[in-house]
Amino acid sequence: MSETLTVAQRERPLADDLARPAAVRNAAAKPSTLRTLLDGSIVWLVLLGAWFAAAAWFPLGENPLIPSPQVTALALWESLPELWKSTLASFAILVPGLSLAIVAGVAAGIQVGASPRLQRVFFPFARVAAPVPPTVYVPYAIAILPTFKLSAIFVVFIGAFWPIFHNAAAGAHALEGRYRDNAQILGLTRREFLWKVVLPAAMPHIFSGIAVGLGFSFILLTVAELFGANAGLGRFVQYYADFADYPKMVAGILYTGLVTFLAMSLLEAIKRRVLFWHR
């Protein structure tokens, strides 16, 4: 009898744990905020230590290729007004190009992904056009479009369009058949079906495509600015690299990385807010 009670007592915690709601179990298994911050800082601390070591052991004369963190921090502080102006100039190109890519990519992707016939028409072309590096369009865009700003916006648009389009099409294509059947039973028009059924279902895929497109946009923006911009984050880095001012060049690279990180974090916050049911 005592052995039976002992076994029951041992099994009771497991049964009680399984009986708890999944949200409670997930909350208990989720690491603390401090632990998350510590885990996320490991790589950065290692890189910072390697930076200190490289600056101390490889000075390479009076104008080192690897300036110390202290010198770079001072250069960053002195360059903040110029970097802020460069940020505004870069976002004046990034925001229109990315916004157009989101609107066009989502609209086209939803239409194509929800229609088998449009998939047969457009997917063969997309498989050929999407892998082409958008940087090859830079000389043509500069030669054809009237201003450099329009050329840079076009290059950013091309780079961000394809990942958004493909992800939106994949999300629309992955819609379960029962939702299509229910839409037909309810008598929804195609516009209502795309707007009220397909678009919400494809939103997780769409945000994944926007995240990839945003990363490409920063890369292409920097490349485009090297071809003739008078201001911008890419122009800032290239300008001081040409004059071998490596502390300001490295400061510009770090600042650009910080701006990219903040933009990606903002997008992630918007995603969590919009996709509140998808966690």
Side-chain angles (χ1 to χ4, degrees), residues 10-269:
R10 290 177 180 175
E11 292 181 350
R12 187 179 303 161
L14 178 60
D16 292 341
D17 182 69
L18 293 176
R20 287 188 300 170
V24 176
R25 297 199 304 270
N26 293 337
K30 186 178 180 180
S32 63
T33 303
L34 179 60
R35 180 60 182 273
T36 302
L37 291 175
L38 291 176
D39 291 342
S41 303
I42 292 176
V43 175
W44 293 108
L45 292 175
V46 171
L47 291 177
L48 183 61
W51 186 6
F52 272 105
W57 294 344
F58 304 102
L60 298 178
E62 297 180 356
N63 186 26
L65 291 172
I66 307 176
S68 67
Q70 302 94 317
V71 174
T72 304
L74 179 60
L76 177 60
W77 177 258
E78 295 175 348
S79 303
L80 282 179
E82 186 177 358
L83 284 169
W84 175 247
K85 293 180 181 179
S86 300
T87 303
L88 296 179
S90 293
F91 271 77
I93 296 173
L94 178 72
V95 173
L98 181 62
S99 299
L100 289 174
I102 292 173
V103 173
V106 171
I110 291 297
Q111 290 278 354
V112 172
S115 172
R117 185 169 183 272
L118 291 179
Q119 293 176 27
R120 295 192 299 269
V121 172
F122 286 102
F123 276 177
F125 170 75
R127 293 191 186 99
V128 175
V132 177
T135 52
V136 303
Y137 302 115
V138 173
Y140 294 99
I142 293 176
I144 295 174
L145 296 175
T147 64
F148 169 80
K149 184 176 180 179
L150 288 177
S151 303
I153 290 174
F154 172 77
V155 172
V156 170
F157 166 79
I158 291 295
F161 171 81
W162 288 115
I164 296 173
F165 167 81
H166 279 297
N167 278 271
H173 181 71
L175 183 69
E176 296 182 16
R178 59 192 179 96
Y179 292 110
R180 303 176 188 274
D181 297 338
N182 291 337
Q184 291 180 353
I185 294 173
L186 294 174
L188 297 181
T189 63
R190 178 170 177 79
R191 182 177 180 181
E192 291 174 335
F193 172 66
L194 293 176
W195 179 254
K196 297 181 179 181
V197 180
V198 179
L199 180 61
M203 288 302 290
H205 291 77
I206 291 172
F207 270 102
S208 298
I210 294 174
V212 177
L214 179 60
F216 279 152
S217 297
F218 273 102
I219 296 173
L220 294 169
L221 172 66
T222 304
V223 173
E225 288 176 343
L226 299 180
F227 280 84
N230 295 322
L233 294 175
R235 175 59 180 168
F236 178 93
V237 173
Q238 184 62 47
Y239 177 82
Y240 287 106
D242 292 340
F243 286 93
D245 191 341
Y246 298 115
K248 287 192 176 182
M249 184 194 76
V250 176
I253 294 173
L254 295 177
Y255 180 87
T256 303
L258 176 62
V259 171
T260 305
F261 169 75
L262 293 176
M264 297 295 288
S265 299
L266 176 61
L267 177 62
E268 184 66 24

